[in-house]
């Protein structure tokens, strides 16, 4: 699933889940789509909202869901790092 924040956002991301034991979640924080030749050391930002021809590059968090959330209780994930993203 891809979520576009609509503007540049900074803060601490929090996920709250119920169920989903052992599901794997990857959160990739990107500013925009970039040229396919881009990498972490050489960034080429062309048309920033071109999902068909661009790639997303940025920091990522990986989480395996414990599956302990049920009813009113939730399984909560919050990375330690402050994140900045747009797309």
């Amino acid at each position: 699933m891809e979520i576009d924040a609509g503007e540049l956002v900074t803060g601490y991301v929090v996920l709250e889940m119920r169920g989903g034991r052992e599901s794997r979640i990857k959160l990739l924080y990107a500013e925009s789509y970039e040229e396919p030749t881009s990498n972490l050391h050489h960034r080429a930002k062309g048309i920033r909202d071109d999902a068909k021809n661009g790639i997303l590059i940025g920091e990522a968090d990986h989480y395996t869901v414990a599956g302990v959330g049920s009813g009113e209780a939730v399984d909560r994930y919050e990375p330690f790092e402050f994140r900045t993203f747009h797309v």
Side-chain angles (χ1 to χ4, degrees), residues 10-67:
T10 59
Y12 293 95
V13 174
V14 176
L15 296 180
E16 293 184 343
M17 301 149 275
R18 291 181 182 84
R21 174 179 229 122
E22 295 187 26
S23 297
R24 296 180 191 161
I25 297 173
K26 176 183 177 184
L27 299 172
L28 175 67
Y29 308 96
E31 179 186 337
S32 66
Y33 286 96
E34 299 186 31
E35 299 292 327
T37 58
S38 291
N39 60 52
L40 286 175
H41 305 290
H42 175 72
R43 310 295 286 266
K45 297 178 183 175
I47 301 172
R48 293 178 180 230
D49 62 353
D50 187 3
K52 290 183 182 180
N53 299 309
I55 60 173
L56 294 173
I57 296 176
E59 298 292 327
D61 292 322
H62 300 267
Y63 178 65
T64 301
V65 179

Side-chain angles (χ1 to χ4, degrees), residues 69-87:
S70 63
E72 294 296 317
V74 294
D75 185 352
R76 183 180 170 102
Y77 171 72
E78 182 176 354
F80 294 111
E81 301 293 326
F82 189 79
R83 299 295 187 206
T84 302
F85 57 94
H86 187 283
V87 174

